[in-house]
Structure formats: structure tokens, C-alpha cells
Amino acid sequence: MKVEIEKKSLAAALSTVGRAVLGKPSMPILGTVRLVVVDGQLQLTCTNLDLGLLTVVKCLDGSIPGGVCVDCRKLTQIVSAMPMPRVTLATKGSRLQITSGSSRFELYTLSVDEFPPVADAPTDMEVLYKAPQAELLTRLEAVDCAMSNDETRFILNGVYLDIKEKTTKTVATDGRRMNVHSLDKGSGSARGIIVPAFTVSALCALLGDEGNVAMYATERKLVFEIDSADGPIFLSSKIVEGSYPNYGQVTKNLDHPSITLKSDMFVEALKRVSLACGEKSASVTMRVSGKTITLLARDSDLGECEEQIDLEQPAPAESRVAFNPRFLIESIRSVQAETFSIGIKDDVSPIVVRGNNVLSVVMPVRIS
């Protein structure tokens, strides 16, 4: 194997696929990047068995086909440090030689036969979803804050894509809050899929403002094809198996009296008041009366903080509720708009945040 590549393109490709390499791989081969030269292109692949990433880089003239596996992190560091705009990779016995200008490195390699299979171009998989990258990114960022990190509740460790013929909903919940993003855009194939949390994080890092993304699926595997300037990126992932909770039971009958607020102003007020929250009392109480919202946090060891917000119009009803301030702040940010609507019924009913195709439900905290 021998190939000459633009340093910038190679460094970007290594950074992309390197997201699949864990801090402490369970096997040596999982800490490597598979390099394969074929048809004038260099294919780079990494996997941790749960998540796989594959992308391609165009070779300059004179490439020789072949393939090896080499330590991904060390190769990334070496390529980034090279002095010239072009880098040459060539096998030399059981080593990979990396040269650029007067700099030369040699790294020990492993056989490509040891590398686990990773899905690339999906030729026999069903297309479930295709959209601009910015659209899918917006939908994931609108709900990912509500994903559970409790490993005993694996069904909630991800984002649920509820794809219908005419609508698509993106859902996440940890049992204490729920975010739902709805869009009047469906697919010919109706299906519900739980995308693992680590896949969601990788997608949010890889998706951009330009180009499209397509999602393919079998019963147990997902493949995302992401457009990029140098060539497509293929992200393969397992599907979380199981039945997602009936989120429709939570989202119905939420017609609480609501008021419209400015997102930045309210978030900043919440952040200030929550500074008075301590270990004994990690909640903020909100009272709505007339044309005033009062935010109050009190802790027996720290003290208290109170802040009032004036409303342009009187609230439709008086109400009081206590809540986790971090949850409500994340709900408001998930709307990604200058204003949002907040609905409050009483101290035992959930808080409802709406705006920009997002519905967020935050369960209350008991008021002592």
C-alpha cells in the first residue's frame, strides 16, 4: 500500500472516524483505524463494535492498493504535526511509514483481516428518512437533553424516532421530563426506532448546515449516510431493542393556562435564582399572579433568593409550582427561539413548554 494525500483532508478524516475509538478499547484492534486504498481513494474506518464510522479521502496520483490497521490516536497526532501540506503513507513490512518533507515516522500495524466488519454504502437496506443535515440536527438537539443516562433503563438511553406516513416525531425522556419535536414530514415506511445515546452524540457532532443525510435500517442496525465535501461519511449503529413508552399518554390533555416569555431573559433569571439552591433544596418555586412572576429559591444552609418578572399582560390564572431549574432551563433552550410559551396548572401537574415545533414536559417537585 502506498498513497499520497493532502494533509488537511487526511487530518479531517481521522478526526471524523476517531470519534468511534473509546478511551480504553477492549481489544487492541478497536484502537486502530483501518486504512484501505482502493480505486484511487483511501477508506478510513473505526469502530467500537456499537458504533462504526467510515469515510473516504481522494488520493493524489500514483497510489498503490492495499490496507493496514494502525493506532488511530497516534496517527492523528502525527499527521497533524507534519510540516508539509502533503503526507505519504506506505507499508514497509509490518510497519506503516508516514512521511512529509524531511519528517518520517514508522508505526507498527495489524492486519485488516482482524478488523470487525463495518457497514458502508447500504445497498440492501430500506431508506427510512432523508432530509437536510440541518433539519435532523435541529430535531436531535431539541430533545437530546431529556435522554436518560440510567443504564438500568436502557429503553430510555436514546432518542425515539416515530416515523409515520405524514409526520415524524423525535422523542426523549428520562422519566422526569420529556421533549417531543414534531414535523409534518413523513416517510413511505412507518416505523419507530430508538437511536442509542452515543449515536445521537456522534450525529450531533458530524451534522452540519449543508448537505443531506439519509437513514437506512434493518431490524437491528442503522446506517446514516452524511454528505461532506471530501466524500460521504457512513455511521453505522445498533438499534436499541424494545418498546418505547407510550409518550402520547403524557402529551395529551396538556392545555394548561399559558403565558409567553422571552427565552434569554427568563433563563438568565432562573440561573440567578438557582444559585441559592443547595443540596437540601435543589428546586425553584414559581408563583404566577396578575402581571408578575416570582421566582424563589431557599436553602436552610445557604439562604434564599427571590426575583420578580413583570408580564406585559395579566396571567390567565394564578398558580404555583416547584421544579428542578436545570430541567426547565434545558427545556427552554431546546425550543431554540426568542420566545416560548409556558403552561402551569397547579403544583402537582407538569410544566409545559412550547415553541418552534417543540413540546417539553417537566414534572414538578413537591412543595414543602
Side-chain angles (χ1 to χ4, degrees):
M1 181 193 101
K2 184 175 182 180
V3 62
E4 187 177 19
I5 298 181
E6 295 288 346
K7 170 188 169 181
K8 183 178 180 181
S9 298
L10 181 57
L14 286 167
S15 176
T16 295
V17 298
R19 297 179 187 277
V21 178
L22 299 177
K24 293 183 178 180
S26 57
M27 297 184 290
I29 195 69
L30 298 182
T32 68
V33 55
R34 183 181 65 187
L35 306 172
V36 177
V37 178
V38 58
D39 296 331
Q41 292 183 323
L42 176 64
Q43 291 185 354
L44 300 92
T45 312
C46 288
T47 183
N48 57 32
L49 300 182
D50 290 328
L51 175 73
L53 283 166
L54 181 152
T55 191
V56 297
V57 178
K58 294 180 181 179
C59 304
L60 300 176
D61 294 338
S63 61
I64 300 175
V68 293
C69 295
V70 67
D71 186 282
C72 182
R73 288 196 179 90
K74 189 54 64 178
L75 180 60
T76 302
Q77 292 172 354
I78 290 171
V79 170
S80 299
M82 282 303 192
M84 303 301 289
R86 293 186 176 188
V87 176
T88 300
L89 307 177
T91 52
K92 184 180 178 182
S94 61
R95 300 184 183 188
L96 178 69
Q97 190 175 84
I98 310 109
T99 58
S100 177
S102 59
S103 296
R104 179 179 62 83
F105 287 84
E106 290 187 2
L107 295 178
Y108 291 110
T109 63
L110 296 175
S111 170
V112 292
D113 296 333
E114 299 181 38
F115 200 84
V118 175
D120 51 8
T123 56
D124 58 346
M125 302 177 76
E126 179 184 13
V127 181
L128 280 184
Y129 180 87
K130 189 171 184 178
Q133 293 184 38
E135 178 185 301
L136 180 58
L137 180 60
T138 297
R139 307 192 71 175
L140 294 176
E141 290 181 339
V143 302
D144 64 353
C145 64
M147 292 189 299
S148 174
N149 56 12
D150 184 353
E151 294 183 359
T152 64
R153 308 179 70 183
F154 66 94
I155 291 296
L156 305 183
N157 296 160
V159 167
Y160 182 59
L161 294 180
D162 189 7
I163 303 171
K164 305 292 187 185
E165 184 177 351
K166 296 183 178 180
T167 62
T168 305
K169 293 187 178 181
T170 315
V171 188
T173 181
D174 61 6
R176 296 169 294 176
R177 51 181 169 165
M178 174 181 287
N179 279 27
V180 181
H181 184 285
S182 304
L183 195 64
D184 293 332
K185 180 179 179 179
S187 171
S189 302
R191 187 174 173 185
I193 291 176
I194 306 174
V195 183
F198 55 79
T199 304
V200 173
S201 297
L203 282 170
C204 288
L206 293 172
L207 295 172
D209 296 328
E210 299 180 358
N212 294 323
V213 56
M215 182 178 76
Y216 304 82
T218 62
E219 286 299 316
R220 296 186 176 183
K221 181 176 287 187
L222 284 172
V223 175
F224 292 87
E225 183 178 0
I226 304 169
D227 293 343
S228 73
D230 293 322
I233 299 169
F234 295 97
L235 184 156
S236 59
S237 165
K238 67 177 184 179
I239 294 174
V240 179
E241 298 183 37
S243 298
Y244 202 76
N246 184 1
Y247 66 92
Q249 290 293 110
V250 178
T251 58
K252 69 179 183 180
N253 300 323
L254 293 177
D255 297 327
H256 300 351
S258 63
I259 53 180
T260 300
L261 297 169
K262 294 181 179 179
S263 302
D264 290 344
M265 176 272 297
F266 194 73
V267 165
E268 290 303 314
L270 271 177
K271 289 166 66 176
R272 284 191 294 272
V273 174
S274 64
L275 292 174
C277 295
E279 295 182 359
K280 294 182 178 180
S281 178
S283 65
V284 169
T285 300
M286 178 165 58
R287 298 190 184 95
V288 181
S289 180
K291 298 180 68 174
T292 303
I293 292 179
T294 303
L295 300 173
L296 174 66
R298 180 182 291 121
D299 184 85
S300 58
D301 293 332
L302 294 175
E304 66 178 55
C305 175
E306 179 178 303
E307 183 162 340
Q308 291 188 341
I309 299 172
D310 295 329
L311 303 175
E312 295 181 0
Q313 300 292 332
E318 293 192 3
S319 55
R320 183 179 73 151
V321 66
F323 54 89
N324 183 313
R326 179 172 65 86
F327 289 175
L328 188 55
I329 287 172
E330 291 178 347
S331 292
I332 296 168
R333 285 176 171 165
S334 70
V335 171
Q336 302 180 49
E338 293 183 0
T339 62
F340 70 98
S341 168
I342 185 168
I344 305 170
K345 185 177 181 181
D346 50 48
D347 60 357
V348 295
S349 299
I351 301 170
V352 181
V353 173
R354 300 178 190 267
N356 203 19
N357 298 319
V358 177
L359 167 66
S360 183
V361 180
V362 178
M363 298 305 294
V365 175
R366 181 179 298 176
I367 300 176
S368 58

